[in-house]
Amino acid sequence: MEYSLSLLSYETVKKVLFKFDPETAHTLAGFGLKSLAHCMPLMRSVKDRFFISHPMLAQELWGTIFQNPVGLGAGFDKNGEYILSMPALGFGFTEIGTVTPKPQKGNEKPRLFRLIEDLSIQNAMGFNNKGSYYMLQRLKKLYFFGYPIGINIGKNKLTPENEALEDYETLLKAFREYGDYIVINISSPNTPGLRDLQNESFISALFQMAQKLTDKPILLKIAPDMSAEDAIALCRVAIDAGASGIIATNTTIDYSLTPRAKDFGGISGALLKEKSYALFRALGKEFYGKTILVSVGGIDSPEEAYRRIKAGASLIQIYSMLIYKGPSLVKEINEGLIGLLKKDGYTHISEAIGADWKEQS
Ligand SMILES: Cc1cc2nc3c(=O)[nH]c(=O)nc-3n(C[C@H](O)[C@H](O)[C@H](O)COP(=O)(O)O)c2cc1C
């Protein structure tokens, strides 16, 4: 039997979902994704339609094969509940979390807003999640099913700053055998004091500790709201202390980007695009060839993904534009990338990664 989603285009789904408040819409979408995982024939059919596996895009990073470079950004699947469905939406990898040691409710609602005219989202979720034990049970059920998973970890809101290192230690120990990479998140604007941990002494202590606890690659995810010099200095400390990569960027607290912004939470999507690119480009110039770089923030097209790749990204992630454009965006980016690589005479994505800096030398 031919299962087809053509009648149920994302525009139709979006019209329904956008009638609900954003958090309810997210819960409904999650319900759909969980149901999809229970219906193998449908999932296979959707995967055949959306998932691109192509020799020009496949890469081995940290010993893991990524069939394509387009991943789901952290925060969409906070509890690792939709992992099975994500390849069917076309994603080459998924970053789950942010997970904290203990479950927590997150900030008061409403805390998630659509800035529709700006093709952006503003969120002040505050790491609402079911905690590390729940996620561990999810991963134990799934692991290993041959699809790259990143685990994004953060401290609990009630953990004081001087005990933050212990939260990361607990999480690194819990997940040391799971996932293909682990991300240290100290860049969310929605946990008070978290971004203060973006300082050199904390980062250095954290990565030195992390290296003793696990052989998994540990990445640092940074905020867009710092100068390129500060970001470079911070990332250098992390890399020197053993970080295996950098993810740039998280959401921005630059509320001057739109008159429609609330004065709390982080902005993502189109409004973040140039800011995120600018910081990523500065990091690419400095660190291309020295570590693995992942770009996230406002990516909305194959051209934008390609721009990040040429600036040094081995992988890219999307979140907000998935909400506005639907999963066909993932396929569009992957197919578009193949075309753009060919147009520039490349035979594999690795030749284009950091091309901006290779051409200069
Ligand atoms: C609703 C929402 C929740 C998010 N939660 C997290 C999170 O828990 N951890 C994290 O590292 N990033 C989180 N992010 C940030 C995204 O992973 C990403 O870095 C950011 O949204 C920029 O990408 P985009 O413009 O493609 O959305 C969240 C973003 C949104 C919109």
Side-chain angles (χ1 to χ4, degrees), residues 73-75 78 95 97-98 112 121 123 125 127 152 185 221 249-251 268-269 272 296-299 317-321:
K78 288 188 185 273
E95 193 170 305
T98 296
L112 183 58
I121 289 175
N123 94 84
M125 304 300 287
F127 296 167
N152 183 308
N185 183 7
K221 182 167 179 179
T249 65
N250 214 313
T251 56
S268 56
L272 174 63
V296 53
I299 297 175
Q317 296 178 327
I318 59 173
Y319 185 152
S320 300
M321 285 304 162

Side-chain angles (χ1 to χ4, degrees), residues 14-218:
K14 192 170 116 182
K15 263 191 205 131
V16 177
L17 288 179
F18 275 36
K19 286 201 194 312
F20 294 90
D21 73 88
E23 221 174 314
T24 307
H26 186 85
T27 307
L28 289 172
F31 183 71
L33 288 168
K34 276 192 225 166
S35 311
L36 181 65
H38 287 112
C39 182
M40 277 318 268
L42 178 60
M43 191 146 87
R44 245 179 256 123
S45 154
V46 181
K47 188 175 173 201
D48 285 350
R49 184 169 153 190
F50 288 115
F51 190 81
I52 303 289
S53 162
H54 192 283
M56 285 180 81
L57 296 182
Q59 311 174 68
E60 185 178 332
L61 300 167
W62 311 293
T64 297
I65 304 290
F66 290 73
Q67 295 292 345
N68 71 60
V70 185
L72 176 68
F76 186 92
D77 187 2
K78 288 188 185 273
N79 300 302
E81 290 170 327
Y82 319 135
I83 299 171
L84 281 174
S85 308
M86 285 306 156
L89 299 195
F91 288 107
F93 66 107
T94 290
E95 193 170 305
I96 57 176
T98 296
V99 59
T100 53
K102 295 179 199 143
Q104 61 179 32
K105 287 199 164 111
N107 295 325
E108 289 293 306
K109 294 179 186 173
R111 54 193 181 176
L112 183 58
F113 309 91
R114 301 182 189 105
L115 305 177
I116 293 180
E117 296 93 329
D118 300 305
L119 285 177
S120 296
I121 289 175
Q122 190 159 354
N123 94 84
M125 304 300 287
F127 296 167
N128 55 309
N129 78 104
K130 295 179 182 173
S132 57
Y133 180 77
Y134 178 88
M135 186 180 279
L136 203 56
Q137 302 317 307
R138 298 283 314 152
L139 287 170
K140 279 183 181 167
K141 267 193 210 152
L142 293 176
Y143 224 58
F144 175 87
F145 80 114
Y147 172 75
I149 299 170
I151 305 172
N152 183 308
I153 61 175
K155 78 168 198 67
N156 276 114
K157 183 179 179 177
L158 293 180
T159 303
E161 224 174 280
N162 61 356
E163 289 168 26
L165 203 59
E166 286 154 41
D167 270 13
Y168 289 97
E169 183 178 2
T170 304
L171 291 159
L172 286 163
K173 280 183 181 160
F175 294 111
R176 69 171 126 207
E177 286 170 22
Y178 296 92
D180 296 281
Y181 68 87
I182 295 174
V183 183
I184 305 284
N185 183 7
I186 45 174
S187 51
S188 164
N190 301 317
T191 296
L194 190 76
R195 283 186 173 187
D196 296 344
L197 301 177
Q198 294 188 128
N199 69 70
E200 298 185 9
S201 71
F202 184 80
I203 300 271
S204 165
L206 182 60
F207 278 92
Q208 279 171 26
M209 174 188 77
Q211 273 203 310
K212 291 185 197 131
L213 295 177
T214 174
D215 293 333
K216 296 278 178 197
I218 319 273

Side-chain angles (χ1 to χ4, degrees), residues 2-14 36 42 45-50 327-328 331:
E2 169 70 10
Y3 288 89
S4 168
L5 286 190
S6 53
L7 287 176
L8 199 63
S9 73
Y10 185 69
E11 277 310 307
T12 316
V13 173
K14 192 170 116 182
L36 181 65
L42 178 60
S45 154
V46 181
K47 188 175 173 201
D48 285 350
R49 184 169 153 190
F50 288 115
S328 61
K331 183 182 183 185

